[in-house]
Amino acid sequence: MKTIQMIYKDASRILKGLLMSVVMILASCQAILEEDVISRIGNDYMNTSGGFNDGVNAAYSTLRMWYGTERGNNFTVFGTDTYRQGSDGSWKFMNEYTNQFDSRNGHAREVWDEAYSGINTCNALIERAPNVTGIPEATKNTRLAEVKFLRAHYYFILVQLFGGVDLRLTETLVPTTEITRASEVQVYEAIVRDLTEAIPDLPAMMRSNDYGRATRPAAEHLLGKVYLTKATSTAQAGDDYSKAEVLLKKVISDYGFILLPDFKDVHGFGNEINNEVIFAVQYTRDPLTNGGGNNGHVFFLMEYDNQPGMRRDTQNGRPFKRYRPTDYTLNVVFADRENDARYDKSFVHLFRSNRPGTYNTSFDLSKPSVTFTAGDTAIFLPGFEMPAAERATRPYQVLTPSLYTDKLYPALNKFLDPGRVDLTQFEGGRDYIAFRLADTYLMLGEALFRQGKNAEAATFVNNVRRRAAFPGKESTMEVNAADINLEFFVEERARELLGEQMRWFDLKRWGLLLERVRLHNPDGSANIQDYHVLRPIPQNQIDRVLGGEASFPQNPGY
């Protein structure tokens, strides 16, 4: 099957070489625009059929600034109740909510600038499409629908992070410093309009023939999430939940998606294209077209590589030690390990020796030394407090919860990438699963619960829970109407979607961010304040606007 991995181009190459209008997005951010001549391809190229198609493909590549990146993960995994900081990294202040997390934040600046570059690509394509010839009208309409899906996607990320932003729906062609912040209401109106207009012209199928392109169910899933989020924002409307219900039911019933029988297979290496995936952001193994790559494989790993009998390898990953699961995650979210298999299938439980020899023990001092041959178990994480006397009988080190540190802890296995070319490669090549059916089921259950339809909500979420069960435990995992409440969804989404760049957004829309961080994240609990439900507007954006903060106000508290 032809995939959009082949269609994606490296963003900088396409945007700089072909789309002068994308460069011009800086005009909305800079009073002085310095341009370098880097291609003889003129601005009119985008008005040709080839240029238009290249422009659409380039619009997708902006997704790579968010999904599977350190910035995307820091904004959504850090500063929540499910993860705290590991030992390494220079962005801990985003988890700690200290005063370093201010308007000079590099991640905020990068997300802002990259999102607006993508938005302006979309704006240019929408405005120029009527003059483009040589493309069948039906194909052009489909491509425009994809572009509206993407523009809505970028604005949805921005409005959740920053609140009201610059709502720019036309191509930026000349430098300007006259910029204002739209309201959240206006931004949500634009997002809903784009997705509503896109849905009829997107292919009504599980996968596009060019895998990776937006489809009708992808837009319906996204719009359902938009309504679910909008319902607790300043843009809320009385029918948000009922509209989400209709859309999410269509995704579940109309296109042939299924929950994979085994939860572990959803994120299995080499199984990125499967019947649970609704939309994935494309990466590749070609360094010329992979941009910065999918980097999710490095962030959730423990320091296995400095332990006796172990060295770093591609199978176990390059451990950046950024995100350590909280006690709440390990002891509450995954408390049921007898019936629910998701703890067992979400974490790495043992490491096999790839450095044979005899060593003094490092953390499990129940024995003085350990000896390994290649392939022997070197580290075992049982997930419970094994007594020292029992540990002493094991010919390997046993890492129990009382021995967890900011370097040693259960490592999430969802993003491991053993297909990297060597053990230091940062630019992973796995697709990033952005939308999947289990999320659709859980969002639908939540939308039904919000409307008082608890029995129906239980019917839908039980599909996810039965799939999560150990064999023979399916009926035990089922819930009924009396079990359905907000806390159920708070925990169930953590169990199912841990680490998948959703948690901060979930806590915010539930109105629980402050409470849950204070309860469960010891790194951030003392510093988080009411204003942290929004991120800081980048200072360089404010400085570029005529009138500065008076014209483009900073979010309160920053």
Side-chain angles (χ1 to χ4, degrees):
M1 178 182 293
K2 182 181 179 183
T3 72
I4 205 169
Q5 287 184 357
M6 305 299 293
I7 299 168
Y8 269 19
K9 307 293 185 183
D10 178 63
S12 62
R13 196 155 55 90
I14 287 295
L15 298 184
K16 292 178 181 177
L18 304 178
L19 303 177
M20 299 301 293
S21 60
V22 177
V23 178
M24 285 294 184
I25 188 57
L26 298 176
S28 69
C29 306
Q30 294 181 195
I32 300 175
L33 179 66
E34 296 181 3
E35 297 180 28
D36 295 324
V37 178
I38 55 175
S39 174
R40 294 188 179 185
I41 299 175
N43 188 46
D44 289 340
Y45 175 70
M46 195 172 169
N47 299 327
T48 68
S49 59
F52 181 80
N53 282 320
D54 282 341
V56 174
N57 298 336
Y60 278 95
S61 65
T62 300
L63 292 169
R64 290 173 170 173
M65 66 85 182
W66 182 255
Y67 290 103
T69 65
E70 186 169 25
R71 67 180 75 89
N73 278 285
N74 281 351
F75 270 125
T76 53
V77 175
F78 258 173
T80 69
D81 56 351
T82 53
Y83 273 96
R84 58 185 300 192
Q85 65 213 34
S87 61
D88 293 351
S90 57
W91 297 92
K92 292 186 176 71
F93 59 84
M94 294 183 69
N95 179 59
E96 296 168 339
Y97 291 99
T98 67
N99 58 12
Q100 285 181 276
F101 194 1
D102 60 17
S103 61
R104 295 164 295 180
N105 181 280
H107 282 343
R109 181 177 64 251
E110 291 160 2
V111 169
W112 186 279
D113 289 349
E114 289 292 326
Y116 276 108
S117 290
I119 287 166
N120 202 55
T121 307
C122 297
N123 291 343
L125 291 161
I126 292 168
E127 289 199 332
R128 295 177 184 220
N131 298 321
V132 176
T133 60
I135 301 176
E137 198 66 19
T139 301
K140 186 191 294 186
N141 290 338
T142 298
R143 297 292 176 260
L144 285 174
E146 294 174 39
V147 167
K148 289 180 180 179
F149 165 86
L150 292 168
R151 183 168 69 176
H153 201 148
Y154 299 139
Y155 270 123
F156 187 45
I157 292 171
L158 290 174
V159 75
Q160 290 177 94
L161 293 175
F162 302 108
V165 293
D166 175 23
L167 185 58
R168 190 159 294 272
L169 301 175
T170 58
E171 183 182 4
T172 301
L173 290 169
V174 295
T176 177
T177 59
E178 296 181 2
I179 310 297
T180 59
R181 289 188 68 176
S183 67
E184 277 193 342
V185 173
Q186 292 170 315
V187 177
Y188 273 108
E189 285 175 350
I191 292 169
V192 169
R193 183 170 57 249
D194 268 352
L195 291 172
T196 302
E197 291 176 358
I199 286 169
D201 289 322
L202 288 170
M205 59 178 66
M206 182 189 298
R207 301 186 189 101
S208 168
N209 292 329
D210 289 337
Y211 180 70
R213 292 193 184 277
T215 59
R216 187 175 298 178
E220 289 169 342
H221 175 102
L222 179 57
L223 184 52
K225 180 165 282 192
V226 167
Y227 279 125
L228 204 61
T229 305
K230 177 175 171 287
T232 55
S233 75
T234 59
Q236 64 185 254
D239 59 355
D240 284 333
Y241 292 121
S242 61
K243 287 181 174 178
E245 176 190 345
V246 171
L247 289 158
L248 298 171
K249 281 182 173 178
K250 281 177 62 62
V251 176
I252 290 169
S253 65
D254 288 6
Y255 306 102
F257 294 105
I258 61 169
L259 295 174
L260 298 190
D262 191 332
F263 170 81
K264 191 169 185 178
D265 289 342
V266 177
H267 291 280
F269 176 69
N271 194 41
E272 291 82 6
I273 301 175
N274 65 65
N275 290 340
E276 187 167 331
V277 176
I278 298 169
F279 183 71
V281 177
Q282 302 298 290
Y283 289 93
T284 176
R285 297 294 174 190
D286 185 346
L288 296 178
T289 59
N290 200 28
N294 179 352
N295 315 136
H297 59 94
V298 303
F299 300 125
F300 296 88
L301 307 183
M302 74 169 227
E303 189 179 80
Y304 74 90
D305 52 340
N306 288 335
Q307 304 308 317
M310 296 300 302
R311 61 175 179 80
R312 184 185 302 175
D313 60 20
T314 55
Q315 185 70 33
N316 291 295
R318 181 182 175 186
F320 271 36
K321 304 180 290 294
R322 294 292 194 266
Y323 309 132
R324 170 189 177 187
T326 60
D327 290 344
Y328 165 73
T329 295
L330 298 175
N331 301 328
V332 178
V333 170
F334 292 105
D336 180 5
R337 303 180 192 177
E338 180 179 350
N339 304 300
D340 194 326
R342 284 175 292 191
Y343 175 82
D344 184 63
K345 295 180 179 181
S346 293
F347 294 98
V348 178
H349 302 294
L350 63 85
F351 296 86
R352 297 190 181 278
S353 177
N354 56 17
R355 188 162 60 106
T358 297
Y359 304 90
N360 293 330
T361 53
S362 57
F363 56 81
D364 178 8
L365 305 183
S366 65
K367 70 220 74 174
S369 64
V370 282
T371 300
F372 306 115
T373 59
D376 287 348
T377 297
I379 305 170
F380 174 54
L381 290 81
F384 60 87
E385 204 55 46
M386 184 184 292
E390 183 177 353
R391 285 191 278 122
T393 68
R394 304 293 180 97
Y396 45 77
Q397 293 202 98
V398 181
L399 181 60
T400 60
S402 64
L403 300 177
Y404 294 165
T405 68
D406 59 356
K407 294 184 178 182
L408 301 173
Y409 47 77
L412 192 68
N413 63 23
K414 290 180 177 179
F415 310 115
L416 287 171
D417 188 356
R420 295 172 301 123
V421 296
D422 60 54
L423 53 85
T424 64
Q425 187 182 28
F426 183 60
E427 300 80 7
R430 296 187 66 183
D431 295 348
Y432 191 95
I433 300 172
F435 307 163
R436 62 183 179 94
L437 189 63
D439 185 22
T440 316
Y441 272 112
L442 293 178
M443 289 194 295
L444 175 57
E446 187 179 338
L448 291 165
F449 154 69
R450 296 289 193 175
Q451 298 174 79
K453 303 177 182 179
N454 285 23
E456 189 179 2
T459 299
F460 280 101
V461 300
N462 277 335
N463 289 279
V464 176
R465 289 185 59 80
R466 282 191 295 268
R467 191 271 294 275
F470 282 113
K473 301 289 188 177
E474 291 83 1
S475 61
T476 307
M477 284 286 288
E478 291 182 351
V479 295
N480 56 42
D483 300 313
I484 298 297
N485 52 42
L486 181 58
E487 186 62 24
F488 169 81
F489 288 103
V490 170
E491 291 189 11
E492 191 66 20
R493 287 185 66 81
R495 277 186 286 272
E496 181 69 28
L497 303 166
L498 185 71
E500 295 181 39
Q501 293 194 203
M502 299 185 198
R503 192 60 175 183
W504 191 90
F505 290 146
D506 282 345
L507 292 177
K508 176 185 173 177
R509 68 181 173 81
W510 290 327
L512 296 176
L513 178 65
L514 305 176
E515 172 190 323
R516 304 297 291 219
V517 170
R518 287 168 179 158
L519 282 173
H520 301 303
N521 187 327
D523 307 323
S525 59
N527 298 319
I528 192 169
Q529 303 295 325
D530 291 354
Y531 66 83
H532 285 126
V533 296
L534 290 175
R535 308 306 200 168
I537 301 292
Q539 190 61 45
N540 64 334
Q541 169 64 30
I542 294 173
D543 293 343
R544 292 161 178 164
V545 176
L546 186 65
E549 192 167 348
S551 300
F552 204 93
Q554 178 59 268
N555 283 327
Y558 293 104

